[in-house]
Amino acid sequence: MQIVIKTLFNWDTKKQEAKGTGIFGTVVAFAPENEEQGCKTLHRHIQIWVKEIYQKLRKELFSG
């Protein structure tokens, strides 16, 4: 998971901030959550807040 966070999100784990643009854009924050399925296997969900998506969504919502 650390490789995904450092490489794909372009996240500095020591400073807890983005080092630049990752594959989704510039990550502002993220929240991982582990979940157990009925057959006792674990999987993870990650909610990601991305700077560029917010700006694009805001423009589309308020563009008349």
Side-chain angles (χ1 to χ4, degrees), residues 1-11 19 21-23:
M1 205 60 224
Q2 290 177 352
I3 293 170
V4 169
I5 291 168
K6 287 181 178 181
T7 307
L8 300 181
F9 295 0
N10 202 13
W11 188 260
K19 295 187 289 186
T21 305
I23 64 167

Side-chain angles (χ1 to χ4, degrees), residues 18-38:
K19 295 187 289 186
T21 305
I23 64 167
F24 301 110
T26 306
V27 176
V28 177
F30 62 94
E33 180 66 34
N34 293 325
E35 186 175 273
E36 183 180 315
Q37 292 179 305

Side-chain angles (χ1 to χ4, degrees), residues 11-58:
W11 188 260
D12 187 333
T13 55
K14 291 183 182 178
K15 294 181 181 178
Q16 293 297 304
E17 62 184 20
K19 295 187 289 186
T21 305
I23 64 167
F24 301 110
T26 306
V27 176
V28 177
F30 62 94
E33 180 66 34
N34 293 325
E35 186 175 273
E36 183 180 315
Q37 292 179 305
C39 56
K40 305 295 182 196
T41 58
L42 294 175
H43 64 278
R44 178 171 270 189
H45 298 266
I46 303 176
Q47 187 172 12
I48 305 169
W49 287 267
V50 180
K51 182 179 178 181
E52 293 82 4
I53 290 178
Y54 174 75
Q55 291 172 351
K56 182 179 179 190
L57 180 61
R58 186 175 179 177

